[in-house]
Amino acid sequence: MNLLIENAPNYIIVGGKKIKIKTDFALWVKFIISCQNNDKEKLYNSICEIFNNEIPEDVNECFEQCQKWLFPDEKKQTSATEKTNNNHQKPFDFDMDGSVIYCELWEYFPNLMQRGISFHEGMELIQILMMNDKTVLWHRAFARCGELSKLDKEQRKYWQKQRALYSIKNKNSDIDSVMCGDFW
């Protein structure tokens, strides 16, 4: 799917049936955070909201299809939130950087935010924010994943402190462990 020329579908196929879903960015971020935190109650509430309270019988297949919807490119089964570098750090984390992401989306893309964005549009906008070295999100992403070896001694020292400050703490579970196993 090329999100530049086509929209992500507003349905998920579970048990051979098309089930209409909400595609709102904030809703899917809540879903991802619930998965990462292994919070079954919040995860179930997110699923209820995503599926307009019409949850299919096979909840595990539902989770599997949600993951495929979140990350539609089968060759890249991970999103920007899952990519790691040689430091084993992701460039951003919705739980840790959520308020920064939200504020910068509103600052740089107020018209889009006002109309409401889908999860996939939000991910594209986050990628744009991470390319702009004037954003806090870029600063955090560079601190976590930037190549420090080519910097001079003072710059490297600064960025090493930033790396320690913004390091994403490992959680007990990640989205893949929740989404690929039998959660319930």
Side-chain angles (χ1 to χ4, degrees):
M1 167 184 356
N2 184 343
L3 293 171
L4 295 174
I5 57 175
E6 59 185 316
N7 292 329
N10 63 350
Y11 63 87
I12 292 177
I13 299 175
V14 180
K17 292 179 167 179
K18 280 186 183 181
I19 301 172
K20 189 171 170 93
I21 58 167
K22 293 180 184 175
T23 61
D24 180 62
F25 179 72
L27 183 60
W28 283 91
V29 169
K30 282 189 225 175
F31 174 80
I32 290 171
I33 291 171
S34 299
C35 288
Q36 288 174 338
N37 294 336
N38 204 14
D39 188 332
K40 291 181 182 182
E41 184 178 339
K42 286 183 180 178
L43 182 58
Y44 186 78
N45 292 337
S46 292
I47 287 290
C48 286
E49 200 172 345
I50 288 168
F51 282 90
N52 297 308
N53 293 319
E54 296 179 32
I55 300 176
E57 288 180 29
D58 188 350
V59 177
N60 287 316
E61 183 184 357
C62 178
F63 287 128
E64 190 177 305
Q65 294 306 318
C66 284
Q67 184 181 30
K68 287 180 183 177
W69 185 88
L70 280 170
F71 313 118
D73 187 352
E74 293 176 24
K75 293 176 184 140
K76 297 185 215 172
Q77 269 300 304
T78 59
S79 72
T81 64
E82 305 300 315
K83 291 179 185 171
T84 59
N85 64 351
N86 56 0
N87 299 321
H88 304 291
Q89 283 285 316
K90 302 181 292 184
F92 70 92
D93 178 79
F94 283 121
D95 209 5
M96 188 172 172
D97 302 320
S99 58
V100 170
I101 291 168
Y102 181 76
C103 290
E104 289 192 336
L105 285 172
W106 270 101
E107 180 180 345
Y108 289 92
F109 309 104
N111 294 337
L112 295 174
M113 292 297 287
Q114 192 170 20
R115 75 154 165 82
I117 60 174
S118 72
F119 176 77
H120 295 100
E121 289 171 321
M123 292 303 294
E124 294 291 325
L125 296 176
I126 288 171
Q127 294 297 323
I128 292 168
L129 289 172
M130 287 196 309
M131 290 187 282
N132 180 349
D133 66 358
K134 306 225 181 323
T135 66
V136 175
L137 192 57
W138 176 90
H139 184 91
R140 289 183 177 197
F142 187 81
R144 292 177 184 133
C145 304
E147 179 58 52
L148 306 183
S149 65
K150 295 180 182 178
L151 301 176
D152 67 43
K153 186 177 179 179
E154 286 300 312
Q155 288 177 322
R156 191 170 33 253
K157 187 176 176 182
Y158 170 80
W159 284 108
Q160 286 170 339
K161 287 180 182 177
Q162 295 299 298
R163 183 164 283 169
L165 179 65
Y166 292 115
S167 175
I168 297 172
K169 312 302 180 259
N170 288 334
K171 296 180 175 87
N172 292 339
S173 66
D174 61 22
I175 192 169
D176 290 332
S177 67
V178 172
M179 299 297 274
C180 296
D182 285 342
F183 186 72
W184 302 101

